[in-house]
Amino acid sequence: MAAAALARAVELDTPGVTRAAAARAIDEAWATTPDGRQIGLLPWIGIAELALAGAAPPAGGARLEVLRRALQEAQIGAETPGAPLDVRGGFSFTGRAGADAPSLRAAAGLVILADLPYGSIREEAEGAASRLAAMRFAMQLAVRPPLSGLYRDPARALWGIRESTWNSDQAPAAQAMALLFASEMVSRRAESAAAEASPRADPDAR
């Protein structure tokens, strides 16, 4: 998280924050986290790498691509054996049929890493499908009637995000991660809509 904050500060030209300091924080995050646990650096490491790189390829792009593939492989889909319908789009890092607690962090990481280039149109389409599935799962965690009736204050609990499908607590961290995920999804959809609406050059024009 510190690396992401520093990188965003550099991106915003914040006085007193240097690019070198942000780069050191990113390098330290990678270096102090074993390969098998680097998925836990998301979404912050993705934010940090991409913010510091700007329009250039991120220094840790290859590592981020590995994490993106790992996320898509861990995502629960229609073909996942024994997966209940309400966890599809979530993530299982333990091999269990149910979605694991860090699914919201994984979802946020997935949408942030969408800024990395894809190797083919098919991979890009698969990435888009994964993000939509993650959004479906996040909506599954939102408290709506009649589930809201189980809370002491139904009106206050309405549309809050649960920790997981089996935990009804509405922890601040879950709300923050869901908001980050949703805002990144909306931002990318707006960018895509703007690109589709912009006039395109006629390849036959002379």
Side-chain angles (χ1 to χ4, degrees):
M1 187 181 295
L6 286 170
R8 278 287 170 87
V10 170
E11 186 181 33
L12 297 172
D13 295 323
T14 304
V17 182
T18 66
R19 177 172 294 273
R24 283 196 301 272
I26 292 172
D27 290 342
E28 183 179 358
W30 285 120
T32 57
T33 308
D35 289 349
R37 296 187 178 182
Q38 287 182 349
I39 201 98
L41 294 173
L42 292 171
W44 312 117
I45 197 68
I47 293 173
E49 287 274 14
L50 292 166
L52 191 63
R63 287 171 167 172
L64 294 179
E65 287 178 12
V66 169
L67 294 186
R68 184 170 66 183
R69 285 195 298 271
L71 286 176
Q72 290 185 218
E73 290 171 1
Q75 192 171 35
I76 301 169
E79 72 287 351
T80 304
L85 293 175
D86 63 346
V87 299
R88 290 183 181 176
F91 300 82
S92 177
F93 300 103
T94 60
R96 298 181 306 172
D100 295 330
S103 282
L104 281 173
R105 289 182 59 184
L110 188 66
V111 67
I112 287 164
L113 296 184
D115 283 345
L116 295 173
Y118 288 90
S120 66
I121 294 177
R122 177 178 178 178
E123 288 181 4
E124 187 172 355
E126 289 173 348
S130 291
R131 295 192 296 277
L132 288 175
M135 176 62 85
R136 191 224 67 81
F137 175 74
M139 288 301 297
Q140 183 75 34
L141 298 178
V143 173
R144 292 167 285 183
L147 181 61
S148 57
L150 301 177
Y151 288 81
R152 181 178 299 178
D153 188 341
R156 185 175 182 181
L158 197 61
W159 297 110
I161 303 296
R162 293 175 289 155
E163 282 268 9
S164 64
T165 52
W166 66 87
N167 186 344
S168 60
D169 290 344
Q170 295 179 319
Q175 315 313 304
M177 202 56 63
L179 285 171
L180 174 62
F181 170 60
S183 65
E184 293 290 341
M185 283 286 288
V186 170
S187 174
R188 279 155 180 74
R189 181 64 192 118
E191 291 172 0
S192 176
E196 292 172 1
S198 63
R200 299 180 179 180
D202 185 350
D204 297 325
R206 296 181 182 273

